[in-house]
Amino acid sequence: MPDKDIPPGAATRNVDTAASLHYGYVIVAVGVLVMFACLGLARFSLGVLLPSMSEALGMSYAQRGYLGTGYFIGYLAMVAWAPLLAKKLGNRLALVTGLGFIGASMVLLGIAGSYVPALALYTVTGVGSGAANIAMMALVANWFAPSARGTATGAVIAGNGMGIILSGILVPAVVAAFAPHGWRWGWIVLGGLALAVCTAAGLLLRNSPQEKGLAMIGSEGRRKAPPQPATIRLDRDEKRFLVHLGVIYALFGATYIIYGTFFVTTLVDELGLGGEAAGRFWSWVGFFSLFSGPLFGKISDAFSRRAGLLAAFGVQTCAYLLAGFHSTVHTMGHIPELVPLYGSVVLFGLAAWAIPTVMTAAVADRLGPARTALGFSFITFFFAVGQVIGPTAAGAMADVTGSFTMAYALSAVLTATGACLATRLPVRRK
């Protein structure tokens, strides 16, 4: 018998009593696919395709770095327009547009005849990634309250790891099966997958719980959204907070992308592994990264965003040191040369998506869901600058020294610096 004390219209689907049926979990599932496509495939497939692609197009180490830089120039250009795009189209249509750019440009990469068109097309891929990534992070913030936001964001970002696993297993097989043009078919297949995800996102995503008559997950059943500021402008303290986060995010961007771009190249060129063996090695990064976002998102929800950042940077620093000094460890300790690299892969994977997870939650906590896209776009500008600098600097150093050892060592120094800066972040008490 209905409870007479419940006002009419209030007996809607409750987020806490029927959490398993809440549409927010559909948002997370589709979000995993979005991140799988917009970063897992669009960005992290490059490292696996790069050895055969660069050989076919006659690219130097520096040009390989410029290819990664072109992607992030496109990403950076999109960052400035992402809040406006989200405002005009809504987060759902903004990310669908981005995924369309990704899929089309990757298919066209498969027919690129030389380095310059490939660089231009991969820059367009970066534009699409920026649009889809920022819109997806803002959309998650609309569906989850602060108490569950870090965990939800981490689950979505796990899609990156799925992309790495698929790239590490599928791409080398395609390259080998269709040699000497296998890298072309690799781009075409991955682009087709991105377009399929684009279709699914357009059909299933919704901008907010209100479109489904629901409250945020973690809002204890309240149907009414918390009050939001009337303006999207940032005050001085908010800008100072975002600049602090942005500098930390730039250090992460410059370092993780060096590893993501050149680790397979290190295995092939410096250790003599075959393409398929190196791809399988790289797929382990993807496997361990599946736990990265949920793990560090949970840490940041339970303790603080600062604690999550400190833990992540500590793990990443160890990963870069093992990658950079594997030869030294082998010489000094009589350890097989691949052992430190396996340790590096495990550690890098476990912390791979920790920083973006915590950053998204920290921005949403401070600014609220209505301004998350604006704040995340602001700090992503710093992130993209770091990613522009990282591959270029690492490729140039490798051309001079013939090795990526110095690039990995520099990455460890920068992540240690990021940890120091994270200690200055305020802790928001529960």
Side-chain angles (χ1 to χ4, degrees):
M1 183 174 181
D3 192 332
K4 296 180 180 179
D5 294 330
I6 298 177
T12 58
R13 286 161 286 181
N14 186 283
V15 295
D16 293 316
T17 60
S20 62
L21 301 177
H22 197 288
Y23 201 78
Y25 294 101
V26 176
I27 300 298
V28 169
V30 178
V32 169
L33 294 177
V34 171
M35 301 308 292
F36 163 81
C38 81
L39 291 180
L41 298 184
R43 183 62 190 95
F44 292 101
S45 60
L46 176 65
V48 185
L49 286 162
L50 199 53
S52 56
M53 181 181 179
S54 59
E55 182 179 355
L57 299 182
M59 295 160 54
S60 66
Y61 281 134
Q63 286 178 317
R64 300 181 202 190
Y66 296 149
L67 196 64
T69 298
Y71 173 92
F72 288 111
I73 288 174
Y75 194 103
L76 181 60
M78 191 63 241
V79 165
W81 292 98
L84 179 61
L85 188 65
K87 182 179 179 181
K88 295 292 185 183
L89 301 179
N91 289 316
R92 180 176 71 93
L93 289 181
L95 72 86
V96 166
T97 301
L99 288 171
F101 274 98
I102 290 168
S105 61
M106 290 173 74
V107 169
L108 292 173
L109 267 166
I111 60 176
S114 63
Y115 171 72
V116 173
L119 177 61
L121 286 167
Y122 203 48
T123 302
V124 174
T125 306
V127 171
S129 292
N133 184 34
I134 292 172
M136 190 66 236
M137 292 300 99
L139 196 148
V140 170
N142 287 339
W143 280 85
F144 290 83
S147 62
R149 190 170 288 148
T151 304
T153 304
V156 168
I157 291 178
N160 296 342
M162 294 171 55
I164 291 177
I165 292 173
L166 183 71
S167 297
I169 296 173
L170 176 64
V171 171
V174 171
V175 169
F178 294 97
H181 302 297
W183 65 271
R184 296 186 181 278
W185 283 105
W187 281 119
I188 291 170
V189 169
L190 296 178
L193 289 173
L195 291 174
V197 172
C198 177
T199 302
L203 293 173
L204 297 173
L205 288 179
R206 297 294 181 270
N207 286 316
S208 70
Q210 286 73 30
E211 293 184 19
K212 286 287 188 177
L214 296 167
M216 288 180 169
I217 291 180
S219 63
E220 300 176 348
R222 294 190 303 271
R223 292 193 68 235
K224 185 178 179 180
Q228 297 298 326
T231 176
I232 64 169
R233 293 181 181 178
L234 303 171
D235 63 34
R236 181 178 299 178
D237 288 341
E238 289 170 338
K239 288 179 180 178
R240 186 180 298 114
F241 174 76
L242 291 177
V243 168
H244 192 159
L245 279 184
V247 172
I248 296 171
Y249 210 15
L251 294 174
F252 166 72
T255 54
Y256 99 104
I257 207 58
I258 290 173
Y259 196 101
T261 301
F262 294 115
F263 186 72
V264 171
T265 298
T266 301
L267 296 176
V268 173
D269 291 359
E270 296 185 26
L271 298 178
L273 268 67
E276 291 191 62
R280 287 192 298 270
F281 212 113
W282 179 243
S283 69
W284 282 107
V285 171
F287 172 76
F288 287 105
S289 75
L290 294 176
F291 309 100
S292 174
L295 172 63
F296 286 91
K298 193 69 174 177
I299 290 172
S300 74
D301 282 344
F303 299 100
S304 69
R305 307 307 182 200
R306 182 170 71 183
L309 291 174
L310 287 171
F313 274 127
V315 173
Q316 287 179 336
T317 300
C318 293
Y320 299 141
L321 289 174
L322 287 172
F325 295 104
H326 59 88
S327 296
T328 303
V329 171
H330 167 58
T331 302
M332 295 176 61
H334 305 288
I335 301 171
E337 198 166 17
L338 288 179
V339 170
L341 291 175
Y342 275 114
S344 177
V345 161
V346 172
L347 293 175
F348 179 79
L350 285 175
W353 320 127
I355 305 298
T357 298
V358 180
M359 286 290 175
T360 304
V363 169
D365 289 350
R366 184 65 179 260
L367 302 184
R371 296 189 295 166
T372 297
L374 176 65
F376 192 66
S377 177
F378 188 100
I379 67 168
T380 301
F381 178 85
F382 291 83
F383 176 59
V385 168
Q387 292 181 109
V388 167
I389 295 171
T392 302
M397 281 192 277
D399 272 337
V400 172
T401 64
S403 169
F404 289 98
T405 294
M406 291 303 297
Y408 294 132
L410 176 61
S411 295
V413 172
L414 293 178
T415 49
T417 303
C420 292
L421 291 174
T423 63
R424 306 297 299 171
L425 285 172
V427 177
R428 293 178 68 83
R429 303 290 181 186
K430 294 188 182 297

